[in-house]
Amino acid sequence: MTKNLKSKTQASDYYTSDEFWKNNLGNDSSYKVKVVDALLRKANLTTLPKCLRAVEIGCGDGAFLLPLASSLKDKGVEFQLAGYDISQMAIDRAKDNNSFPEDQVSFRVASVGEIPDNLDMIFCIDVLEHVENPWEILRGLAGKSQYVILHLPIEQSLGHWITGACSRSNIIYNHIHFFSWESAQIMLKESPFKVIACQFTGATDFILTFNSGTIAKKIFHWMRYISYKLYPQITSMLAGGSVMILLENR
């Protein structure tokens, strides 16, 4: 039934019908806030506005935006955050999960075209691999904010090919684009933005603080961390992973 839905309609209908969110609510994306912090440090953008005005598109049930709000609160940064998604089910769950006042964090059913102007930052976290036309999304974000922070899974790798991970990403998460680091850079080169900095998740210091898992998993985290630190592009070709990218309007 799911495959018929995806083949006979637009990709967006899979989310507005709530077919996706029935199986994917409740994911933990708090670690991505730490990757954003590492990215901003790399770009020397650690000084945030006194009151950060930001929007996340494709916010789902708030799995990233709510931990971001908690992090900003801990840092003493004032904020006005809004989450947009085309799924009513996801937005309803985000509102249920939201413990912040609505003037600080709000959620609404909306699309990219409804994003206001003059924002400090726009977050596009794990969205472009789901949409039919990533370039159209990026063009819709142009001029709305000086900075856009993008998160992409890198799934065109030797490891993904050997294990068939791309097929599983399509079945489980409905990914319809599978980026390599090279193809991601080509896409961004043809967009209205320029790349300021990037941060591979595997090279972020917080991954070394994992206390759970077997000794083998801890060793794997160390090896991946060192490999990404030394040879990020080669490692992404071999093992894939994910990358956080800071964009600025040209």
Side-chain angles (χ1 to χ4, degrees), residues 103-152:
D103 61 344
Q104 289 185 323
V105 182
S106 62
F107 295 96
R108 58 178 293 198
V109 176
S111 61
V112 170
E114 298 173 77
I115 292 177
D117 297 330
N118 300 317
L119 295 167
D120 297 310
M121 206 166 284
I122 296 173
F123 295 95
C124 183
I125 307 296
D126 297 321
V127 171
L128 297 187
E129 64 272 21
H130 295 274
V131 300
E132 291 182 352
N133 192 333
W135 286 272
E136 183 179 0
I137 297 295
L138 291 171
R139 286 194 295 269
L141 299 179
K144 301 288 186 179
S145 170
Q146 182 179 2
Y147 298 109
V148 171
I149 292 184
L150 185 70
H151 188 257
L152 282 178

Side-chain angles (χ1 to χ4, degrees), residues 4 11 25 32 42 45 80 86 99 112 136-137 144 241 244 249:
N4 289 337
L25 289 171
K32 295 170 187 172
K42 181 178 287 189
L45 287 175
Q80 293 178 350
I86 60 174
S99 60
V112 170
E136 183 179 0
I137 297 295
K144 301 288 186 179
M244 199 77 72
N249 280 282

Side-chain angles (χ1 to χ4, degrees), residues 33 50 137 214 239:
V33 177
K50 183 178 179 181
I137 297 295
T214 63

Side-chain angles (χ1 to χ4, degrees), residues 25 45 57 68 70 73 91 100 110 137 151 170 192 198 204 213 241:
L25 289 171
L45 287 175
I57 65 167
L68 174 65
S70 296
K73 181 179 178 180
I91 291 299
F100 292 92
I137 297 295
H151 188 257
N170 174 258
C198 63
T204 310

Side-chain angles (χ1 to χ4, degrees), residues 2-201:
T2 298
K3 289 295 182 183
N4 289 337
L5 175 67
K6 288 189 286 185
S7 63
K8 293 180 180 178
T9 64
Q10 297 183 14
S12 60
D13 293 339
Y14 184 54
Y15 305 98
T16 55
S17 71
D18 298 327
E19 189 72 21
F20 175 81
W21 291 110
K22 288 177 182 177
N23 300 313
N24 289 288
L25 289 171
N27 293 327
D28 181 13
S29 294
S30 58
Y31 75 92
K32 295 170 187 172
V33 177
K34 297 177 181 179
V35 185
V36 168
D37 287 342
L39 176 70
L40 294 178
R41 287 196 300 271
K42 181 178 287 189
N44 294 317
L45 287 175
T46 53
T47 302
L48 296 175
K50 183 178 179 181
C51 182
L52 180 69
R53 295 181 66 248
V55 164
E56 182 190 3
I57 65 167
C59 66
D61 60 352
F64 168 78
L65 199 66
L66 292 173
L68 174 65
S70 296
S71 175
L72 293 172
K73 181 179 178 180
D74 291 343
K75 294 173 183 176
V77 177
E78 296 181 12
F79 50 88
Q80 293 178 350
L81 307 180
Y84 289 11
D85 202 285
I86 60 174
S87 167
Q88 184 67 61
M89 177 184 283
I91 291 299
D92 289 343
R93 185 64 65 89
K95 290 180 177 179
D96 290 342
N97 294 336
N98 186 14
S99 60
F100 292 92
E102 194 166 341
D103 61 344
Q104 289 185 323
V105 182
S106 62
F107 295 96
R108 58 178 293 198
V109 176
S111 61
V112 170
E114 298 173 77
I115 292 177
D117 297 330
N118 300 317
L119 295 167
D120 297 310
M121 206 166 284
I122 296 173
F123 295 95
C124 183
I125 307 296
D126 297 321
V127 171
L128 297 187
E129 64 272 21
H130 295 274
V131 300
E132 291 182 352
N133 192 333
W135 286 272
E136 183 179 0
I137 297 295
L138 291 171
R139 286 194 295 269
L141 299 179
K144 301 288 186 179
S145 170
Q146 182 179 2
Y147 298 109
V148 171
I149 292 184
L150 185 70
H151 188 257
L152 282 178
I154 302 300
E155 297 180 300
Q156 282 288 0
S157 72
L158 179 62
H160 282 76
W161 177 74
I162 291 173
T163 62
C166 288
S167 296
R168 292 198 300 276
S169 290
N170 174 258
I171 294 169
I172 299 172
Y173 302 114
N174 197 39
H175 291 186
I176 58 175
H177 297 285
F178 303 95
F179 295 100
S180 65
W181 179 226
E182 182 180 13
S183 67
Q185 291 179 89
I186 292 171
M187 174 184 67
L188 295 174
K189 183 180 178 181
E190 299 300 323
S191 79
F193 299 96
K194 60 182 178 180
V195 176
I196 301 300
C198 63
Q199 177 65 45
F200 283 93
T201 301

